């Protein structure tokens, strides 16, 4: 066993896939989640796939007493912090709840990590921190901005985390903070088994779960938000990344933090494929590869959307020795495998 990793939000979409990849790589996970956007059934599926029980604590990450208990009970080597609220539109309607959850969970977590002397952290950031890109592909040194409270919560957390190694220097700390901020592009797909996958509680906000719910008959048709962008076919272009590749990126980040030669201080790293795919390309590939129709209509642009967004993923390759291995076909096939086997989710 290589070490024990505390995974906040480990019952969620990306967290559950990461727990499986951590187990494959020889790490033990401990999950903390409050099920605000996930289901307890995920834990059974994780046990089934990993062949062992993963310790689970039902708690809110803002609950410092609960965190204290976890750090005293388990010998934690590093933390991956997924827990957070993530719906852009909802964040505009309830900004305070988003700032409360996302900021206060991170503050509570870091305070308790520091108290326990565990200062290695992988944080779920997002390509949303690049705002409306000036140039493509996006490199980590490009200007950052936010266009909504969700994105702003990620930006504030990134800035806050950068203050921690600076404080270590002032305080002469001999166990300095080491944090990797992973900026995900557009996570899609599901585990090959079809046992875990993305299961939005309400109407999906994101494209891929919407497509798969139309395909399975839960929704009538997809609205394609705009076909007049300056892109290959007029529809929005994004860098879709398979969730299993993304999960492996977290294992690489943990490997780095626990290695003899880890990053110093705080490093932001893109996790994307470097390839752009349009909405209609994704819809058509889904329908063709899976042999299921996906009804759609062209609708107005969605406010706040950018025309195109894709990563330069060189830094992940050079620092973490990670690159995406799965393509769009794997993403649509694995999504449909999950959705068709679990038509109503968990
Ligand atoms: P998710 O909602 O499926 O998972 C988040 C998990 O955290 C859920 O299980 C939820 O119950 C839990 N949670 C939320 N607040 C909590 C709290 N205060 N205490 C304990 N548990 C809490 O989301 P996901 O897609 O797996 O995203 C994981 C992280 O990655 C989030 O921080 C999200 O902002 C970030 N991210 C996601 C995407 C994406 O498109 N999915 C893209 C970029 C970044
Ligand atoms: C992709 C494309 C839409 C739905 C969001 C967040 C971002 C990150 C990932 C967390 C766009 C189009 C979508 C639909 C459509 N999350 N679309 N019809 O907007 O790139 O990113 O999720 O960090 O912060 O903003 O992803 O999947 O919503 O949209 O035509 O019903 O699909 O216009 O071009 P987005 P998405």
């Amino acid at each position: 066993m290589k070490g024990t990793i505390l995974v906040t939000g480990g019952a969620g979409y990306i967290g559950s896939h990461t727990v499986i990849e951590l187990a494959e790589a020889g790490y033990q996970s401990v999950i903390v989640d409050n099920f605000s956007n996930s289901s307890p059934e995920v834990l059974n599926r994780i046990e089934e796939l990993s062949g062992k029980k993963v310790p689970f604590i039902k708690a809110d990450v803002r609950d410092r007493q609960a965190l204290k208990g976890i750090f005293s009970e388990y010998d934690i080597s590093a933390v991956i912090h997924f827990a957070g609220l993530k719906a852009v539109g909802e964040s505009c309607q309830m900004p305070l709840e988003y700032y409360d959850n996302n900021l206060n969970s991170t503050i509570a977590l870091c305070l308790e990590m520091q108290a326990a002397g565990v200062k290695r952290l992988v944080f779920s950031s997002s390509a949303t921190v690049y705002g409306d890109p000036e140039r493509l592909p996006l490199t980590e040194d490009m200007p950052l901005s936010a266009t909504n409270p969700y994105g702003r919560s990620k930006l504030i957390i990134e800035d806050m985390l950068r203050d921690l190694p600076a404080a270590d220097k002032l305080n002469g700390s001999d166990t300095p903070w080491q944090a990797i901020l992973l900026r995900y592009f557009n996570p899609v797909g599901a585990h090959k088994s079809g046992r875990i996958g993305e299961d939005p509680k309400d109407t999906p906000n994101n494209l891929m779960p919407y497509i798969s719910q139309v395909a399975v008959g839960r929704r009538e048709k997809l609205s394609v938000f705009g076909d007049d962008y300056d892109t290959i076919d007029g529809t929005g272009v994004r860098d879709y990344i398979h969730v299993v590749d993304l999960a492996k990126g977290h294992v690489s980040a943990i490997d780095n933090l626990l290695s003899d030669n880890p990053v110093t201080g705080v490093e932001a790293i893109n996790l994307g494929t470097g390839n752009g795919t349009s909405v209609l390309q994704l819809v058509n590939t889904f329908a063709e590869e899976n042999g299921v129709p996906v009804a759609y209509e062209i609708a107005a642009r969605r406010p706040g959307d950018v025309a195109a967004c894709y990563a330069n993923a060189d830094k992940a390759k050079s620092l973490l020795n990670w690159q995406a291995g799965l393509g769009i076909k794997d993403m649509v096939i694995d999504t449909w495998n999950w959705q068709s086997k679990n038509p109503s989710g968990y």
Side-chain angles (χ1 to χ4, degrees):
M1 215 259 291
K2 287 192 194 162
T4 301
I5 312 301
L6 177 61
V7 184
T8 79
Y13 173 43
I14 306 169
S16 56
H17 287 81
T18 301
V19 169
I20 300 298
E21 296 307 316
L22 284 168
E24 292 267 314
Y27 291 102
Q28 171 71 56
S29 296
V30 173
I31 298 176
V32 56
D33 203 299
N34 64 1
F35 295 133
S36 59
N37 197 36
S38 50
S39 146
E41 172 58 18
V42 179
L43 302 175
N44 299 328
R45 309 273 178 110
I46 289 176
E47 186 179 342
E48 175 192 314
L49 292 175
S50 67
K52 58 181 178 184
K53 244 197 164 53
V54 175
F56 171 76
I57 298 94
K58 183 170 189 284
D60 193 301
V61 181
R62 289 167 292 187
D63 178 348
R64 287 185 61 186
Q65 283 313 316
L67 294 178
K68 229 181 249 314
I70 296 171
F71 283 107
S72 70
E73 185 171 351
Y74 298 96
D75 183 17
I76 305 291
S77 306
V79 179
I80 308 181
H81 182 34
F82 291 107
L85 302 177
K86 63 164 182 177
V88 170
E90 189 182 64
S91 81
C92 299
Q93 289 165 330
M94 36 197 289
L96 291 173
E97 284 80 356
Y98 269 65
Y99 289 122
D100 178 24
N101 198 16
N102 294 1
L103 301 187
N104 287 328
S105 66
T106 311
I107 293 169
L109 178 66
C110 290
L111 282 167
E112 291 308 323
M113 286 176 69
Q114 188 157 264
V118 179
K119 294 166 82 177
R120 296 181 180 118
L121 175 68
V122 177
F123 173 66
S124 296
S125 189
S126 166
T128 192
V129 299
Y130 295 113
D132 196 349
E134 271 174 21
R135 272 177 300 123
L136 292 168
L138 286 155
T139 50
E140 289 81 355
D141 54 1
M142 284 186 180
L144 304 179
S145 67
T147 52
N148 55 69
Y150 166 71
R152 214 160 354 263
S153 76
K154 294 292 181 190
L155 263 187
I156 295 169
I157 294 168
E158 283 206 359
D159 278 340
M160 187 176 85
L161 293 175
R162 273 186 278 268
D163 288 336
L164 306 184
D168 284 329
K169 281 196 186 136
L170 292 174
N171 302 329
S173 169
D174 45 7
T175 50
W177 279 95
Q178 287 151 341
I180 298 182
L181 317 175
L182 294 177
R183 294 179 180 156
Y184 316 151
F185 280 68
N186 290 58
V188 296
H191 191 265
K192 265 263 162 285
S193 62
R195 297 295 286 158
I196 56 172
E198 186 169 15
D199 181 23
K201 282 208 162 154
D202 303 309
T203 310
N205 301 299
N206 295 114
L207 179 60
M208 186 71 108
Y210 209 107
I211 291 175
S212 64
Q213 290 195 8
V214 171
V216 85
R218 277 169 67 178
R219 319 237 159 235
E220 192 194 339
K221 58 177 177 260
L222 170 77
S223 295
V224 174
F225 298 143
D227 68 347
D228 56 353
Y229 287 106
D230 184 13
T231 60
I232 179 167
D233 56 18
T235 64
V237 165
R238 297 292 184 272
D239 186 341
Y240 296 97
I241 171 164
H242 197 295
V243 67
V244 172
D245 273 336
L246 195 65
K248 288 183 173 153
H250 290 75
V251 175
S252 301
I254 289 291
D255 284 343
N256 175 287
L257 291 179
L258 299 181
S259 73
D260 295 335
N261 190 22
V263 298
T264 34
V266 175
E267 282 288 351
I269 302 179
N270 290 339
L271 291 185
T273 65
N275 303 315
T277 303
S278 77
V279 175
L280 288 181
Q281 284 172 330
L282 191 67
V283 169
N284 292 332
T285 310
F286 190 103
E288 280 160 23
E289 290 299 321
N290 296 314
V292 281
V294 178
Y296 70 85
E297 64 179 3
I298 305 297
R301 289 184 180 193
R302 183 172 64 179
D305 272 354
V306 300
C309 173
Y310 50 92
N312 174 315
D314 292 350
K315 191 172 175 187
K317 175 98 179 87
S318 59
L319 271 188
L320 302 183
N321 197 24
W322 172 92
Q323 63 184 347
L326 300 168
I328 286 290
K329 285 187 185 176
D330 305 294
M331 301 182 209
V332 298
I333 290 168
D334 294 341
T335 301
W336 182 236
N337 185 40
W338 150 254
Q339 186 73 78
S340 53
K341 286 179 176 161
N342 305 269
S344 322
Y346 285 109

